[in-house]
Amino acid sequence: MRHDKLERELYLIELLTENRSYTVNDLCDKVGISRRNLYYYLEFFKDCDFKIYKHGNYHYISKDSPYFRHITERITFTEEEAIVMRRLLEKTRKGNALIENLKKKLDRFYDLDILTNDELREQTANNIHVLYEAIKLGRQVVLRKYSSPHSKTKRDRLVEPFMLLDNNNEVRCFEPASGLNKTFKASRMQSVEMLDTEWIYADKHRKMYTDVFLFSGEERMTVRLVLGELAYNIMKEEYPKTREYISNTDDGGHLLEMEVCSYAGIGRFVLGLYHDIKVLGDNGFKEYLREKIVKMHDSIGDV
């Protein structure tokens, strides 16, 4: 049926978007198509104005494709619109909870300090463009005179960029000198120079993830909880994004199974509502809770 074919096409587009994980065989297995059909789809997507690239063993669709740009323009504010809205909100009466929430959302998705400074804005835009090309081509770059607030220095940093973050305001890189994956802010780079050297340490690249509790990390752990009615309602209200990870159990409970980057966020929730939550896993989370309970007991002392 046509809708089955459309579902495959949409799923394949999703897998191909900035793909760095799936080879041709992986894509065929996931979508359930032959290699011949996969290449047919790739040509079809090109005819539909998608930008298809190949790097190593991976084919991917660039987010710079006109199709994605058109969607983005329709569902998000332009930078100019964001600036105007932020200035209008500043003029409204202070203390309005709705207004303050809107301001926080704008600040979260747009670096307005950069957007309102023409010189800094152009510099940052150039940096992001070079970083994007380097990621696409799998090249090393030098971040010229990167300003570090921790060491209070400005120095060149040789890195391998592999992931843009925070609405393209940050970039995730592997730094050979330190042997670590780090996140750099585009606004702190005086300039970016792309080298001819291709990635050498691709096997050490580690993506940064952010869970629904806004904790970030390179690793993810799966936790499983059964929530009572009280815990279920509070979880939905405080963390609406968890709804997609909750299913009903046969006895009327609510099973939450999701990945987190830190036990801290979900742990705080469980400890606050321990009487209405049953922890099924994982073992690491159980041990984390045990240690927290012991420390809480020790801090309270004898009553």
Side-chain angles (χ1 to χ4, degrees), residues 1-8:
M1 296 177 67
R2 173 57 193 164
H3 71 270
D4 294 329
K5 183 179 180 182
L6 178 60
E7 184 178 0
R8 286 198 301 272

Side-chain angles (χ1 to χ4, degrees), residues 6-38:
L6 178 60
E7 184 178 0
R8 286 198 301 272
E9 292 169 352
L10 293 173
Y11 183 41
L12 182 56
I13 290 173
E14 179 184 348
L15 294 175
L16 286 168
T17 303
E18 296 297 296
N19 174 42
R20 290 291 187 277
S21 305
Y22 305 119
T23 63
V24 167
N25 289 336
D26 292 333
L27 292 170
C28 291
D29 291 341
K30 283 184 170 293
V31 182
I33 57 177
S34 66
R35 291 173 65 96
R36 179 179 179 181
N37 280 340
L38 174 66

